[in-house]
Structures are given as structure tokens and as C-alpha cells.
Amino acid sequence: MGVEAPFLVSFAITRKCNLKCKHCYSDALEDCAPDELSTGEAKRILDELAGWRVGLLIMDGGEPLTREDFLELASYASKRGLRVVAGSNGSLIDGSMASRMREAGVRMVAISVDGAKPETHDGFRGEEGSFARALAGAEACREVGLPFQFGMAIRRSTLPEIPDMLELAVEYRAMAAEFFDLIQVKRVREQCPDEVLTREERKRVVGWLAEAQKTCPIPIRVVACPMYPLTLREKRVQPQYFPSDFLKRIPYWDGGCAAGRSRGYITILPNGDVIPCMLLQVKLGNVREQSVREIWDNSPILAKLQSRELLKGKCGKCEYRDQCGGCRGRAYEETGDILAEDPGCWLIKA
């Protein structure tokens, strides 16, 4: 198809996790799944990604630090020229681990913080004390000079805490505050379906975050919400503490939903399945059967995602179609159709 490689690849190296989060997009387990890629298979994938000149590799899970060869894989990827970041719940990061991660070539860690109070975070993540351990992990990273950001789920129960969550990220000197708009994947439907925002709630919190960016000293990002950059533009946000050009690094700034798109995003699961995005869980192929590039070049599903003119409903008619495209993950989870209009969008102008 001649489509450029994705800029970002998320490689979920294990489903094993030490927490029991109600919303886990990976549907994590207490132990490693029997079909997880071996060290050798994982390295073969890393070789391919390095040759593909992928811009950013996220190693996550599950909890990637529970995999015994995590540091080995991170070091291997870094030495192959990949820019490696890790997505972690932070609870297993102490000073020693933070130093070893930095030495292995990890450039940054995204630490999950799902509330401004221990009871909010711990209740959602299923483990008492996990809030304190996540913050201790952030402190350990800071002390050894390993950059980190906070990844924070936006859900109904945390709406009153969003200002304090943002302040917490600033207080701990995170590089960025990345908010995740909760998508109704399998575990969310089973354990916390009422936590998904309504369209009006989403509009209010995104509007508040856009206003907050004017005076917030760190970048604010919103995942699974390609309407956020449009809101920043609509409000003509000029950050006080860093150049406006930095906003272009925010996800979806140029082309909207990045799932499976040129210079966009793709995910490799622990068993080798490839999906467009962790939030759009539609199987494209498996790396044990085809190379990642073969899957990327030949998937009919990706061909659809890469053709915005195929979008249906109001998304297909919207003047922001090519700038936004709606969240394909939310469209699929709520309608069963990857091309349906995004039911969570309030900006649709047809």
C-alpha cells in the first residue's frame, strides 16, 4: 500500500501484572500467559522495528517489570537504535530499578496514577498501597534522572479530582500529564461500565484541560480523544511556560485518531497478535505467522482505517474528518463498526 511506517509501536511484552485494575485494556493476569512471545521471538520483533525506523517504542503490559527479561529486552531495543519508553504502574520501581532502567536505555517512564487520593487510586487498581508505591516509583525515577510522566484515566469517579491530579503531576515534576479517556473495552464493560464519561462530561473536562494548559507548566495530553487538539485550537491556547510548537507533540495534533494510520500507531500483544491500537482491539494478524511489516502493508482492516473517506455517519460528513476522524476504538466498542461515527464526540459539524 506504500503507507509510511507507524511512528509509535506499543509492544505489550506480558499480560502478567501485580495489580488488578478494573479497566485493564490488556485484561492482565496474575501470572504470565502460556502463549507469550519468548525472549528470542521478542528480539526478532525488535530487530524488525529497528529496521523499520519506528520513531518510538513503548514497552508495556500488563506490568512490563514483572517479565524477567524486561531489562534485557529494553537494552537490546535501545542498542538497536529504538527510542524506548516504558509504561508501568510504578509500584515495582525503586532506586535500583530506576537506575537499571536508565542504564538499559529507557528514555522515559509513564507511571499510572488514577486519582489524587489513595482511596481513589487503590480502589480502582485493586491493591491497597498502590498509590503510595506509584508515587514512590516517580520519586525514584526523579532521583536518578530518569524522566517520567503521569498517565491518568479520566472516569466519572475522578472528575472532581482532575484539578488535583494535574497538580500532583506538576508537584512531582512529571514531564507531562497524560489523561486517558476511558474506553469501554471488555474489562471495563465487566467491572466499571458506569465510569465511562457521557458526551457532555467529556466536553466539560476536555474544555477545562484546554483552559488549564494556558498556565500549566507541563504539557497536558488526552488519549482517546482526538477532539482535544481541536479544542486547543478553537480556544487559541498559548501556553505560558513553553513554546506553542510543543503542542504539536500532543497525540492526534495533525491527523486525529492515529490507530493503524501512516506515521500513527500500532500495538503488538504478548502473544504476537497485532491490533491497530490498544483501544481498538481488532486482530490484524500475528507476528509468528507474518512479519509486522507484512501485516501493516496487507491488512484490509488497516486499509479502511487509512481511508477517512470511508468513515460513516456524522464523522464521515464532519468538516473535521481529516483532522480528527473520531476515536475508532470508542466507535468500535460501542457500535461494533470500526468506521462508525464516534458516539463520544460533541464537536461533530456536518
Side-chain angles (χ1 to χ4, degrees):
M1 296 188 304
V3 177
E4 282 191 84
F7 172 78
L8 186 156
V9 172
S10 174
F11 189 0
I13 61 174
T14 184
R15 287 180 66 192
K16 183 178 180 179
C17 187
N18 59 321
L19 300 183
K20 304 175 182 66
C21 305
K22 292 182 178 180
H23 69 309
C24 183
Y25 296 137
S26 300
D27 201 17
L29 306 169
E30 291 186 19
D31 296 302
C32 297
D35 59 352
E36 290 183 359
L37 298 173
S38 68
T39 301
E41 288 175 317
K43 286 182 176 180
R44 178 176 60 79
I45 300 307
L46 295 174
D47 285 336
E48 185 179 356
L49 298 180
W52 209 10
R53 299 187 181 277
V54 167
L56 186 66
L57 172 68
I58 301 177
M59 297 182 71
D60 53 19
E63 171 51 55
L65 274 66
T66 65
R67 180 160 166 154
E68 293 181 359
D69 60 358
F70 164 67
L71 291 171
E72 179 183 350
L73 293 176
S75 178
Y76 186 86
S78 179
K79 289 175 181 176
R80 293 288 282 112
L82 290 164
R83 186 167 180 264
V84 180
V85 302
S88 171
N89 61 44
S91 66
L92 301 178
I93 302 176
D94 56 14
S96 173
M97 176 55 72
S99 293
R100 293 163 69 196
M101 291 171 72
R102 188 185 63 177
E103 291 166 4
V106 175
R107 303 283 193 92
M108 189 177 73
V109 186
I111 296 177
S112 299
V113 179
D114 284 322
K117 299 181 292 187
E119 55 269 30
T120 308
H121 174 100
D122 293 356
F124 195 56
R125 293 205 157 249
E127 189 74 29
E128 188 174 348
S130 59
F131 180 74
R133 291 196 296 274
L135 296 182
E139 289 179 344
C141 290
R142 187 176 67 218
E143 288 171 3
V144 303
L146 177 59
F148 64 93
Q149 68 181 37
F150 280 179
M152 301 173 282
I154 302 177
R155 53 194 173 92
R156 187 163 293 149
S157 294
T158 56
L159 287 177
E161 296 183 29
I162 294 295
D164 290 335
M165 290 165 69
L166 181 58
E167 182 57 35
L168 193 66
V170 173
E171 176 188 340
Y172 273 77
R173 288 182 281 179
M175 299 295 292
E178 191 160 85
F179 290 90
F180 289 76
D181 189 1
L182 192 65
I183 300 295
Q184 201 164 178
V185 296
K186 178 176 178 286
R187 191 174 292 191
V188 173
R189 284 195 300 273
E190 292 173 352
Q191 298 195 24
C192 57
D194 293 340
E195 291 282 12
V196 177
L197 302 185
T198 65
R199 186 181 302 176
E200 186 57 35
E201 287 168 336
R202 184 172 296 106
K203 176 182 178 181
R204 285 201 306 270
V205 71
V206 167
W208 186 90
L209 290 169
E211 288 291 336
Q213 183 65 94
K214 294 178 181 178
T215 57
C216 183
I218 62 175
I220 300 170
R221 304 174 185 142
V222 185
V223 178
C225 192
M227 297 76 76
Y228 176 62
L230 297 175
T231 304
L232 289 171
R233 289 170 170 163
E234 186 179 74
K235 292 179 175 291
R236 299 184 179 180
V237 171
Q238 299 289 326
Q240 182 177 335
Y241 292 99
F242 53 85
S244 295
D245 278 354
F246 281 23
L247 294 179
K248 295 180 181 179
R249 302 177 187 178
I250 288 174
Y252 325 119
W253 183 266
D254 286 322
C257 180
R261 289 178 57 79
S262 175
R263 301 301 296 159
Y265 179 61
I266 201 167
T267 294
I268 303 170
L269 297 179
N271 68 349
D273 283 348
V274 178
I275 59 177
C277 166
M278 188 57 79
L279 308 175
L280 179 53
Q281 300 184 355
V282 179
K283 182 177 176 179
L284 308 173
N286 188 284
V287 297
R288 285 178 167 136
E289 301 166 1
Q290 296 174 278
S291 72
V292 181
R293 295 181 71 168
E294 287 173 334
I295 293 169
W296 178 262
D297 287 339
N298 300 307
S299 167
I301 294 173
L302 290 184
K304 291 179 180 179
L305 291 172
Q306 292 158 2
S307 302
R308 286 273 168 83
E309 64 272 14
L310 298 179
L311 291 179
K312 301 175 183 177
K314 293 180 180 178
C315 278
K317 301 174 183 177
C318 182
E319 66 179 74
Y320 298 133
R321 184 192 71 184
D322 296 331
Q323 297 171 270
C324 172
C327 174
R328 295 297 94 214
R330 181 165 43 242
Y332 175 71
E333 291 297 342
E334 297 192 23
T335 72
D337 185 348
I338 63 170
L339 299 175
E341 66 181 64
D342 180 351
C345 180
W346 68 93
L347 284 177
I348 289 174
K349 294 186 178 181

